[in-house]
Amino acid sequence: MIRKLQAVALDCADPARLAGFYAELLGGRVVADPDEPEWVEVHGFEGTPLACQRVDGYRPPEWPGQDRPQQLHLDFDVDDLEGEEKRALALGATVLERTDQLRPEANWRVYADPAGHPFCLCAH
């Protein structure tokens, strides 16, 4: 029987850079093994660790298109959507859609991390 989810791994071209983005976003820390630069983890926040792994020829997903589908995305619960958006953008994220401004029933916004993976900030 599986004990626990060990990590969620994101493919990217630059694992150290992407791990740094998520460490800052989540208030975590980068855990890297100098002998394995292709795999860098983010620990120190509540929840399952994130891992960033180097992939040769990495191509970021297209959102919302399906030529290069997202395959997965991350949702983060926040108390201050405006404040956390500013912080995420300052760290290198880009806005894909401010869903809460398009649909009154929505409480989330969609972003891309520096490697192009979609993630959502969801008002708690």
Side-chain angles (χ1 to χ4, degrees):
M1 176 175 236
I2 295 173
R3 263 182 351 146
K4 69 175 186 173
L5 177 61
Q6 180 181 336
V8 173
L10 299 172
D11 292 349
C12 62
D14 186 344
R17 179 173 179 246
L18 189 60
F21 168 81
Y22 279 111
E24 286 293 322
L25 185 70
L26 299 170
R29 68 184 184 288
V30 173
V31 177
D33 180 344
D35 294 329
E36 294 188 38
E38 276 85 39
W39 182 272
V40 180
E41 295 184 0
V42 181
H43 293 235
F45 58 92
E46 188 176 332
T48 301
L50 289 175
C52 304
Q53 80 177 350
R54 182 185 329 275
V55 172
D56 291 333
Y58 172 74
R59 296 177 7 162
E62 291 179 348
W63 188 92
Q66 292 300 306
D67 288 337
R68 291 191 315 258
Q70 63 180 329
Q71 299 185 15
L72 74 90
H73 73 272
L74 304 169
D75 285 349
F76 299 107
D77 214 15
V78 300
D79 290 322
D80 176 9
L81 192 53
E82 295 296 331
E84 291 305 314
E85 175 178 277
K86 287 178 186 170
R87 217 168 62 75
L89 296 177
L91 293 170
T94 55
V95 175
L96 295 177
E97 180 180 272
R98 289 188 175 101
T99 312
D100 65 322
Q101 295 174 1
L102 299 173
R103 299 193 330 229
E105 75 282 0
N107 69 336
W108 68 90
R109 295 180 184 170
V110 185
Y111 305 86
D113 69 22
H117 303 107
F119 71 93
C120 296
L121 297 179
C122 307
H124 181 73

